[in-house]
């Protein structure tokens, strides 16, 4: 595995990103083991009146919070800070959606980890991870420094920088800072923990079913469009002479099917883990063209 200069995570990917940033075999095994062994209290319905509008969500996630915070302890935070300092330029970004502002927000998880070490309090770091995975309506959002944050996938299901002025691109910045040195090649490795295309289903003609399906299709479509945009940006950068950009992506195969539609079903989670290991062992799993 390479040592990534930058790692970002959105939604469930927010939980995985810090372990990929640390990058040891033990770290990969730790996060894989966590998801292979979900607990019954990871998701709990809010009692008999879970549907009341004053509730922040239909369900709560007490077990997930407990187990995540057990992993994201002070030692974990210290390791993140040290990993970022090794080369002096590595970044770890966790994207959530600022519900108040209606925009995507990329949290600097390295800064949050260093703050945790300085204060002895890891709540900010764990809340950043939890906010990115707070599925609207299902899981509770997180208030961070006076603003409300929910699932990063609402605004963008993976972080890649998005539109920017040409003078701010990596290649243009490199040429200003190192005019006599060739521009290093940039590589994006995008892992999508879902299908890239919606799986056909028979939708019942009820408004909850239609709304749920419509939101699902909207997120899947936005993800494919973001990948196409990233490929277009890569091509534009090459044509401008601002360096070579390579994009690779992988998603859950369209032929794969879950055993149930329940959150964190253990058998399904383990099958997903097995499928991920299979894909990861085959270099041909990476797609080289936009969806």
């Amino acid at each position: 595995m390479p040592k990534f200069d930058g790692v970002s995570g959105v939604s469930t990917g927010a939980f995985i990103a810090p372990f990929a940033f640390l990058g040891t075999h033990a770290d990969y095994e730790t996060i894989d083991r966590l998801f292979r062994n979900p607990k019954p209290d990871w998701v709990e319905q809010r009692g008999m009146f879970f549907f009341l509008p004053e509730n922040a969500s239909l369900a709560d996630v007490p077990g997930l919070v407990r187990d995540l915070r057990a992993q994201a302890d002070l030692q974990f935070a210290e390791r993140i800070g040290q990993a970022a300092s090794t080369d002096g330029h590595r970044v770890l970004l966790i994207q959530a959606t600022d519900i108040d502002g209606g925009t995507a927000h990329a949290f600097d998880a390295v800064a949050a980890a260093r703050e945790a070490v300085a204060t002895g309090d890891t709540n900010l770091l764990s809340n950043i991870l939890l906010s990115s995975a707070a599925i609207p309506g299902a899981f509770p959002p997180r208030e961070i420094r006076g603003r409300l944050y929910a699932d990063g996938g609402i605004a963008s299901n993976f972080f890649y920088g998005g539109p920017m002025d040409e003078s701010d691109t990596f290649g243009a910045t490199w040429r200003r800072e190192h005019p006599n040195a060739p521009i290093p090649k940039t590589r994006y490795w995008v892992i999508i923990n879902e299908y890239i295309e919606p799986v056909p289903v028979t939708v019942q003609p009820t408004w909850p079913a239609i709304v749920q399906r419509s939101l699902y299709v909207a997120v899947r479509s936005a993800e494919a469009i973001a990948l196409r945009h990233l490929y277009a940006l890569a091509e534009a950068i090459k044509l401008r002479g601002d360096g070579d950009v390579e994009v690779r992506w992988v998603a859950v195969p369209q032929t794969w099917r879950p055993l149930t539609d329940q959150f964190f079903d253990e058998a399904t989670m383990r099958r997903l883990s097995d499928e991920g290991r299979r894909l990861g062992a085959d270099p041909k799993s990476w797609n080289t063209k936009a969806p």
Side-chain angles (χ1 to χ4, degrees):
M1 294 291 290
K3 180 184 288 185
F4 298 106
D5 292 319
V7 178
S8 65
V10 181
S11 197
T12 302
F15 294 167
I16 301 171
F19 295 88
F21 182 75
L22 293 172
T24 70
H25 180 75
D27 290 310
Y28 291 126
E29 289 294 333
T30 295
I31 188 61
D32 185 46
R33 186 165 55 251
L34 178 69
F35 278 113
R36 286 182 70 90
N37 297 281
K39 304 298 189 298
D41 64 348
W42 271 19
V43 180
E44 292 184 346
Q45 186 174 290
R46 290 183 182 274
M48 184 182 299
F49 300 105
F50 65 93
F51 53 84
L52 292 177
E54 58 263 29
N55 289 328
S57 59
L58 298 174
D60 202 358
V61 288
L64 186 60
V65 171
R66 178 197 63 234
D67 290 350
L68 177 65
R69 287 184 172 162
Q71 295 294 334
D73 57 11
L74 284 175
Q75 183 182 15
F76 187 75
E78 187 173 10
R79 290 184 62 216
I80 290 174
Q82 290 174 346
S85 301
T86 301
D87 297 318
H89 63 265
R90 300 184 69 214
V91 296
L92 173 59
L93 301 175
I94 303 299
Q95 181 172 288
T97 300
D98 181 343
I99 296 296
D100 294 319
T103 59
H105 182 88
F107 286 100
D108 182 345
V110 172
R114 287 172 174 162
E115 182 176 324
V117 173
T119 62
D121 185 353
T122 61
N123 279 334
L124 173 62
L125 179 60
S126 59
N127 278 335
I128 287 173
L129 304 182
L130 288 164
S131 71
S132 183
I135 301 171
F139 300 167
R142 301 287 156 176
E143 184 176 330
I144 300 174
R145 291 174 174 163
R147 300 188 74 84
L148 203 61
Y149 293 93
D151 197 312
I154 302 170
S156 177
N157 221 15
F158 67 93
F159 178 84
Y160 61 99
M164 63 177 69
D165 189 272
E166 290 181 14
S167 62
D168 294 329
T169 62
F170 171 74
T173 302
W174 181 273
R175 284 194 298 181
R176 286 196 303 271
E177 299 292 332
H178 310 281
N180 299 318
I183 301 171
K185 187 172 186 176
T186 303
R187 294 180 174 89
Y188 288 89
W189 303 92
V190 182
I191 300 174
I192 298 170
N193 188 36
E194 247 288 5
Y195 304 111
I196 192 62
E197 298 177 0
V199 175
V201 297
T202 300
V203 180
Q204 298 302 312
T206 62
W207 74 259
I210 293 170
V211 169
Q212 182 180 22
R213 178 64 175 176
S214 298
L215 291 174
Y216 173 78
V217 171
V219 172
R220 299 275 63 75
S221 299
E223 198 163 59
I225 291 170
L227 269 174
R228 292 168 193 152
H229 185 219
L230 178 55
Y231 272 92
L233 283 176
E235 185 63 23
I237 288 170
K238 294 178 187 177
L239 292 174
R240 289 200 305 266
D242 283 343
D244 188 13
V245 180
E246 181 182 279
V247 180
R248 299 287 183 267
W249 64 274
V250 67
V252 176
Q254 294 294 136
T255 54
W256 188 89
R257 291 293 180 270
L259 298 175
T260 74
D261 59 357
Q262 300 300 310
F263 281 122
F264 302 124
D265 172 72
E266 183 177 294
T268 297
M269 297 287 281
R270 293 190 173 195
R271 287 188 66 227
L272 265 176
S273 170
D274 293 340
E275 182 67 12
R277 286 175 177 268
R278 184 190 69 79
L279 291 172
D282 182 5
K284 295 179 182 179
S285 298
W286 294 99
N287 296 284
T288 59
K289 296 182 179 180

